[in-house]
């Protein structure tokens, strides 16, 4: 299994193309250890795979599996800003009809209030995400400069 910084880079790339999403899924698919942050990324990888799956039943099954992993990670470590960022990124980019948007404000609040306590590397990662995100206001984006 790769280190967290590699996983972050792969996740960022995975959001760009189907090929990258499938590579990220293949990277994370066999992860079965107990690191809740990596399990949240595994959930994100499954969610991205579901985005590119055209068979409706399989798509739904993958999405439910993804959400379950992400939600269990949040429950296990509710103050982890990186897990919250993963969930927020999935909720922000999930179609409305899937009704997986309920925690965006809660996740934003935890990410923003705990930002100063994060490692330099994670701060940079959060800053990049927030910069391109549409759910953060301009004033929220200014707070993390």
């Amino acid at each position: 299994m790769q280190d967290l910084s590699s996983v972050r880079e792969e996740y960022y790339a995975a959001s760009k193309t189907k090929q990258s999403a499938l590579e990220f899924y293949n990277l994370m698919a066999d992860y079965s250890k107990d690191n809740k942050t990596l399990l949240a990324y595994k959930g994100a990888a499954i969610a991205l795979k579901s985005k590119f799956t055209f068979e409706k039943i399989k798509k739904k099954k993958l999405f439910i599996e993804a959400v379950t992993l992400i939600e269990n990670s949040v429950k296990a470590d509710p103050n982890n800003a990186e897990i919250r960022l993963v969930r927020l990124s999935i909720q922000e980019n999930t179609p409305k009809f899937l009704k997986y948007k309920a925690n965006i404000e809660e996740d934003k609040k935890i990410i923003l209030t705990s930002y100063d306590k994060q490692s330099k590397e994670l701060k940079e990662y959060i800053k990049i995400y927030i910069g391109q995100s549409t759910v953060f206001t301009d004033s929220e984006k200014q707070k993390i400069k």
Side-chain angles (χ1 to χ4, degrees):
M1 172 74 332
Q2 292 183 304
D3 62 291
L4 216 39
S5 59
S6 302
V7 170
R8 287 177 190 139
E9 283 176 37
E10 295 287 333
Y11 180 53
Y12 185 75
S15 65
K16 306 280 182 249
T17 66
K18 178 181 180 178
Q19 181 64 36
S20 299
L22 294 176
E23 286 170 12
F24 184 60
Y25 172 79
N26 290 334
L27 172 76
M28 299 305 295
D30 293 333
Y31 184 76
S32 61
K33 295 193 176 66
D34 209 32
N35 181 312
K36 298 306 177 205
T37 305
L38 289 172
L39 286 171
Y41 279 111
K42 179 178 181 176
I46 296 167
L48 284 168
K49 180 177 170 124
S50 77
K51 178 181 175 180
F52 295 110
T53 301
F54 296 105
E55 189 188 318
K56 283 201 178 353
I57 293 169
K58 189 172 183 188
K59 186 181 198 89
K60 182 179 179 184
K61 188 176 167 232
L62 285 168
F63 189 73
I64 291 167
E65 182 184 350
V67 168
T68 302
L69 271 172
I70 294 167
E71 291 301 322
N72 287 343
S73 296
V74 172
K75 278 189 195 95
D77 195 354
N79 296 315
N80 183 313
E82 188 162 6
I83 291 172
R84 295 296 187 135
L85 184 72
V86 170
R87 178 167 74 177
L88 183 140
S89 70
I90 296 298
Q91 288 192 358
E92 177 177 3
N93 294 293
T94 297
K96 276 193 172 85
F97 74 86
L98 290 171
K99 294 180 173 57
Y100 189 54
K101 304 250 182 217
N103 309 101
I104 291 175
E105 289 305 315
E106 170 192 337
D107 291 346
K108 273 175 43 175
K109 185 178 175 194
I110 287 175
I111 292 162
L112 292 169
T113 57
S114 67
Y115 178 75
D116 290 335
K117 297 180 204 123
Q118 305 307 321
S119 69
K120 185 175 183 243
E121 186 184 12
L122 183 53
K123 279 182 179 176
E124 200 51 43
Y125 185 68
I126 291 170
K127 195 187 302 184
I128 290 167
Y129 183 82
I130 289 176
Q132 57 83 51
S133 171
T134 58
V135 298
F136 287 87
T137 64
D138 287 341
S139 69
E140 287 168 337
K141 290 178 182 187
Q142 293 304 315
K143 287 179 189 165
I144 56 128
K145 290 285 179 206

